[in-house]
Amino acid sequence: MLRGDYKPKHSTQRATLPVSSIKANQQKPKLKITHETPSLTDPTQNPYFDPSLTRRTHGPQTRRRHKQFHFAEPGQYVEQAERKRAEARMEQLKQEIAERAELARLEDEVLDASAIQFVEPPQVEWWDAPFLSEASYGSDAKLEGPDSLCTIYIQHPVPIEPPLAIRSQGVAPAQLILTHKERKKIRRQRRLEQQRERREKVMLGLLPPEPPKLKMSNFMQIMANESVPDPTKLEAEVRRQMQARQTKHEADNKARKLTKEQRHEKIEAKTKADEEACLMRAVFRINKLEHPQHWHKVTVNARQMHLTGTAISCPTGFSLVVVEGSAKNVKAYKKLMLRRIDWTMSQNDQGSVTNDFTSNECHLIWQGEIDKRKFRQFKQHTSASETQAKKWLMRAKSDELWQLAKQYDPNDSITALDPFA
């Protein structure tokens, strides 16, 4: 008998239910289903029911119908693309406006006097740094040596052909001033290019091949593969071809040669073009202009260079020479007056001494550009006094030149001119 099953016989208390004290004998409470069980016969109340599968689950399977073609209207996608492009342009425009506004705001800030910061100059500029040994202008310059940028070579730009529009208008491009070797090199390259083009045309059959150029030094090599029955006749033919080439060459040169009248016309046209570009005047002061050779050189050279002006000799004072013309001819005439002519020469053609010219000198007292000529041609004039010389210059409205020459002092560094500046 278990201890828990004992019951007293005469007990007035209420009897209690037996409780198991062993874990294995304790029963867990049962779960109760509170919701209703769905009806499987009514599809509307079945939560797992799929109405799209009714055709397959109920009745025989039907054949799936193919979709019909839907053609797009003309211009439908073009309108969509244009609409997207317009939106993209609008976005880009908005972005540019915002950037400009931001830039304007930054410029306003920079223009503010309080925002300006002055940057100190560097110790050495970047364009001077390669020519200095140290980062300071007080250091030695690197003008020689293997690490110096200064060399004896001259770098010329690569010549580029002008555009077709300029060449069709006949406007000559600015020419580079080249040395004699550079001109020969360019000519050699141009001739090689022409020969290469002609050779290619011959290979393509556009031009007939040139006959062999027979000479006495190579005709045996050229005719080596051919039988020569009469060598004397072949030699005569080679000499005839050589003479024909020489004759043609001389005839071409003679045809290109300008006649005397054409040469004069070419020189005059060139001089006129130079005068239209720049018209110069030069004034010279000479102590004595009495020697016949001096007179001849001054006059003849001025006329040959197409210069106008006058040469005035005054025994009581000094002499004056005025020339007008193109800048090129005036420069050549200055070299004649200041370098080539020996003004101290005292002997004539017979060898006798006429006057003392040891202190005779020639000075350039004025040079400059003028708008038009004052003299029609170059003339000589001998005046007995300064008054006559001024009257002679007054005819060309240039009497002030005499006073200018009279006030000239060759020892004054202020009035002295650099003749070839």
Side-chain angles (χ1 to χ4, degrees), residues 376-405:
R376 295 183 178 180
Q377 55 185 351
F378 192 88
K379 290 185 177 182
Q380 300 176 355
H381 182 71
T382 303
S383 302
S385 61
E386 294 183 3
T387 305
Q388 292 183 4
K390 289 182 179 180
K391 288 182 179 180
W392 176 260
L393 290 172
M394 196 177 296
R395 297 169 58 182
K397 298 181 180 180
S398 302
D399 52 326
E400 70 279 356
L401 297 178
W402 186 268
Q403 187 65 24
L404 178 65

Side-chain angles (χ1 to χ4, degrees), residues 41-67:
T41 57
D42 190 1
T44 58
Q45 296 182 2
N46 189 358
Y48 309 104
F49 176 73
D50 187 0
S52 62
L53 302 178
T54 53
R55 293 184 179 180
R56 294 186 180 182
T57 55
H58 302 280
Q61 296 183 358
T62 58
R63 188 176 182 181
R64 190 174 70 176
R65 298 179 182 179
H66 294 285
K67 295 183 179 180

Side-chain angles (χ1 to χ4, degrees), residues 185-197:
K185 181 179 179 181
I186 293 176
R187 178 179 180 270
R188 182 170 62 253
Q189 292 176 350
R190 185 178 66 252
R191 290 169 64 90
L192 289 176
E193 184 68 19
Q194 293 175 357
Q195 293 179 2
R196 186 183 62 81
E197 292 180 359

Side-chain angles (χ1 to χ4, degrees), residues 126-389:
W126 63 268
W127 53 81
D128 295 333
F131 299 96
L132 297 175
S133 58
E134 298 178 1
S136 175
Y137 282 107
S139 60
D140 298 334
K142 295 190 299 183
L143 302 180
E144 296 180 355
D147 58 341
S148 176
L149 297 180
C150 300
T151 61
I152 61 174
Y153 303 103
I154 301 175
Q155 182 180 4
H156 292 286
V158 178
I160 302 175
E161 290 293 331
L164 183 60
I166 297 178
R167 286 185 290 178
S168 61
Q169 295 175 1
V171 180
Q175 298 292 336
L176 293 176
I177 300 176
L178 305 175
T179 61
H180 180 64
K181 289 184 178 180
E182 290 172 341
R183 290 196 298 269
K184 289 180 63 177
K185 181 179 179 181
I186 293 176
R187 178 179 180 270
R188 182 170 62 253
Q189 292 176 350
R190 185 178 66 252
R191 290 169 64 90
L192 289 176
E193 184 68 19
Q194 293 175 357
Q195 293 179 2
R196 186 183 62 81
E197 292 180 359
R198 181 174 180 82
R199 194 181 304 113
E200 290 178 355
K201 290 181 180 179
V202 171
M203 293 174 62
L204 295 174
L206 302 177
L207 293 176
E210 296 182 355
K213 189 176 181 179
L214 298 177
K215 295 186 293 185
M216 295 299 298
S217 60
N218 67 350
F219 79 97
M220 290 301 296
Q221 299 176 0
I222 296 176
M223 308 299 291
N225 297 331
E226 300 180 7
S227 60
V228 181
D230 191 354
T232 305
K233 185 177 179 180
L234 177 61
E235 182 180 352
E237 178 65 20
V238 172
R239 293 186 183 276
R240 187 190 63 80
Q241 291 185 10
M242 293 173 58
Q243 185 62 30
R245 289 196 298 267
Q246 182 69 19
T247 305
K248 181 179 179 300
H249 176 71
E250 294 176 355
D252 293 343
N253 288 346
K254 188 175 181 180
R256 288 193 298 265
K257 185 178 180 181
L258 300 178
T259 61
K260 186 176 180 180
E261 293 78 10
Q262 291 176 344
R263 287 199 303 271
H264 286 302
E265 291 177 358
K266 182 178 179 180
I267 293 173
E268 290 178 0
K270 178 64 175 176
T271 305
K272 186 177 180 181
D274 294 342
E275 291 177 359
E276 291 178 356
C278 181
L279 190 62
M280 298 288 293
R281 173 190 285 182
V283 183
F284 302 91
R285 183 184 187 274
I286 307 171
N287 295 346
K288 293 180 182 180
L289 187 58
E290 300 175 357
H291 200 284
Q293 292 188 13
H294 294 168
W295 271 110
H296 178 77
K297 293 177 181 179
V298 168
T299 306
V300 173
N301 282 277
R303 292 172 180 172
Q304 289 178 352
M305 295 179 185
H306 303 277
L307 300 176
T308 60
T310 183
I312 304 174
S313 176
C314 184
T316 59
F318 55 88
S319 301
L320 188 70
V321 177
V322 183
V323 290
E324 299 171 344
S326 63
K328 180 179 179 180
N329 293 340
V330 170
K331 183 178 180 180
Y333 196 79
K334 287 191 297 183
K335 292 182 179 179
L336 170 74
M337 298 290 288
L338 302 176
R339 294 180 182 177
R340 293 170 54 192
I341 297 180
D342 184 10
W343 298 103
T344 60
M345 182 176 57
S346 303
Q347 296 181 355
N348 55 13
D349 296 337
Q350 289 75 22
S352 60
V353 178
T354 56
N355 291 323
D356 185 15
F357 291 96
T358 56
S359 61
N360 193 18
E361 293 179 348
C362 176
H363 299 280
L364 176 65
I365 64 173
W366 189 85
Q367 64 175 348
E369 186 175 351
I370 58 177
D371 54 350
K372 62 179 181 179
R373 295 177 183 264
K374 295 291 185 68
F375 300 90
R376 295 183 178 180
Q377 55 185 351
F378 192 88
K379 290 185 177 182
Q380 300 176 355
H381 182 71
T382 303
S383 302
S385 61
E386 294 183 3
T387 305
Q388 292 183 4

Side-chain angles (χ1 to χ4, degrees), residues 110-126:
V110 171
L111 292 176
D112 188 5
S114 60
I116 296 177
Q117 296 180 358
F118 296 97
V119 180
E120 296 183 359
Q123 295 182 356
V124 177
E125 298 291 347
W126 63 268

